[in-house]
Amino acid sequence: MEIEGLSEKEVFNQILETLKQGDMSYDSGQILGSMCTKPLALSIKLYQRFFDRNLGDPGLWRGTWKLEREAIRILGSLLHNPRAKGYIVTGGTEANLMAMRIARNSHFNGHPEIIVPMSAHASFDKAADLMRLNIVKIPLTSEYMVDVEAVEEAISKNTVAIVGIAGTTSLGVVDPIDKLSKIALDRGIYLHVDAAFGGLVLPFLAKMDYDVPQFDFELEGVQSITADPHKMGLGPIPSGGILFRNKEILKKRHYEIPYLAGGNIRQATIVGTRSGYAAIATWAIFKCLGQKGYMQIVEKCMKLTNLLKDFLKPIEGIRVINDPPQMNILGFTSEYHLRAIEKRLRKRGWALGAFPELLRVVVMPHIKEDHIKKFANDLEEIMQEIRMSSKKRKV
Ligand SMILES: *Cc1c(COP(=O)(O)O)cnc(C)c1O
């Protein structure tokens, strides 16, 4: 490693040079498979002033702590529980890890087991690995929702948590959380809802009379919810949200950190030092956009998702999977070689999400109508090429 004292200008230029070669930009409209988006511009100003706040030692930053409490209260109200307790964390992964830790430590029986849908995010595999949980994966119905009967059958004396998803990573599908809630209550099992993506989409769709099933604290069995500002919340990257139904759930599940400069605290987050800026920016963005602002953004994303669907449906060889889309995520597959289609799309600069059996577009706020049209045109051309070379997949 060469250690030279360079001027800030030179350092800046070197950074730009390197990033130019390797980084994509949201503004290009080619990032079609990310659940993150360009944070609201306001976060730049906030970062300049508040980048040094550390909520790992909240006694030193009581003002920041207060804004975090307020951000959680706003998020809780959206999810039908203004009294929920929680934190602004590093993302959906940390939020899910926290929920699984609390669930396991609250109902410890023999060899702890968690029941998750097959569509669950990789963070539950991480939780199982880190905490030595047995993870039971439940198949999906033809509608890509968890099979509730199979969940019920999978429950054993070792079950410490059931997980339902409100907005799956691959298709934005909402599991029948109402049924899971009933099972959880009947059997006395902890139910966690992973609404990392849907948590800041569904409440606004519901207010606009879209058909949104119940998924949040309205359902009594739901003990905790993950809902990430850095996805459809337009929050800073990273910022995640974890909410627990009440403070009793967190009781005796904290770590004592007595030596902190700001005084003894009890901490339930996985990480210690954590961004106070993320909490401030989350609060500020909630306040700035307000319910109306979010409703407009979500509605626009839904319109474009449906437009994309209309463009893709007539393309020969392409089949849209989730029609109608429940959220601003659209999955499609093909009778032709899917990996060949993916490869050609990537060659044309499109970065979309590739799952074993489908490709999917997440229509985030940085995607404009022109991008959708251009993408659909490219896909149409690619399908023509593929049909001509007739690389029909053998089934
Ligand atoms: C994005 C996502 C996560 C993980 O969030 P990170 O912020 O990337 O850690 C978890 N669950 C679901 C359903 C998600 O969509």
Side-chain angles (χ1 to χ4, degrees), residues 90-342:
T90 55
T93 299
E94 188 185 359
N96 288 338
L97 288 177
M98 284 174 69
M100 292 303 98
R101 186 181 76 83
I102 301 285
R104 185 198 62 173
N105 293 357
S106 310
H107 309 260
F108 198 84
N109 316 298
H111 189 84
E113 212 162 82
I114 58 174
I115 298 177
V116 310
M118 208 79 105
S119 49
H121 183 262
S123 45
F124 293 99
D125 293 302
K126 292 182 182 173
D129 179 22
L130 290 166
M131 292 177 248
R132 294 181 178 260
L133 308 169
N134 193 21
I135 183 165
V136 183
K137 295 191 181 177
I138 306 298
L140 308 182
T141 65
S142 57
E143 272 154 346
Y144 301 91
M145 292 174 191
V146 72
D147 179 340
V148 175
E149 276 175 33
V151 168
E152 205 156 14
E153 278 164 29
I155 294 171
S156 78
K157 65 177 193 337
N158 293 328
T159 307
V160 294
I162 297 172
V163 173
I165 308 173
T168 56
T169 310
S170 55
L171 290 170
V173 166
V174 184
D175 284 326
I177 311 287
D178 53 342
K179 292 189 182 132
L180 296 180
S181 167
K182 194 170 174 308
I183 294 171
L185 283 177
D186 285 350
R187 308 288 291 262
I189 297 171
Y190 188 105
L191 173 62
H192 173 66
V193 173
D194 184 359
F197 188 82
L200 282 156
V201 181
L202 297 168
F204 304 114
L205 287 178
K207 291 192 168 84
M208 291 185 289
D209 292 329
Y210 280 77
D211 190 13
V212 176
Q214 290 183 309
F215 74 99
D216 62 17
F217 289 117
E218 212 175 0
L219 298 166
E220 272 190 48
V222 175
Q223 301 302 311
S224 52
I225 302 179
T226 292
D228 288 349
H230 71 188
K231 292 184 170 173
M232 281 296 284
L234 284 85
I237 299 172
S239 58
I242 178 70
L243 289 99
F244 296 92
R245 175 173 282 278
N246 51 47
K247 62 174 189 286
E248 281 67 44
I249 298 174
L250 289 169
K251 233 181 201 161
K252 298 198 189 114
R253 310 291 162 219
H254 291 101
Y255 299 100
E256 294 269 344
I257 320 280
Y259 58 79
L260 293 172
N264 184 12
I265 58 146
R266 279 173 297 159
Q267 201 174 65
T269 50
I270 306 280
V271 299
T273 298
R274 64 192 179 93
S275 170
Y277 154 73
I280 293 174
T282 297
W283 178 87
I285 289 167
F286 285 168
K287 284 284 181 183
C288 252
L289 283 176
Q291 181 168 304
K292 261 217 182 113
Y294 276 114
M295 280 161 67
Q296 280 166 3
I297 290 166
V298 168
E299 170 125 75
K300 202 181 125 236
C301 291
M302 284 309 291
K303 283 214 168 110
L304 288 181
T305 308
N306 281 301
L307 183 70
L308 175 66
K309 184 193 74 178
D310 293 341
F311 284 148
L312 297 197
K313 277 180 86 170
I315 300 179
E316 206 185 319
I318 290 293
R319 184 171 65 82
V320 170
I321 297 179
N322 53 329
D323 181 12
Q326 262 181 298
M327 267 184 242
N328 47 328
I329 300 180
L330 196 73
F332 61 92
T333 186
S334 174
E335 76 236 45
Y336 295 89
H337 198 332
L338 201 58
R339 297 282 85 89
I341 299 172
E342 180 197 340

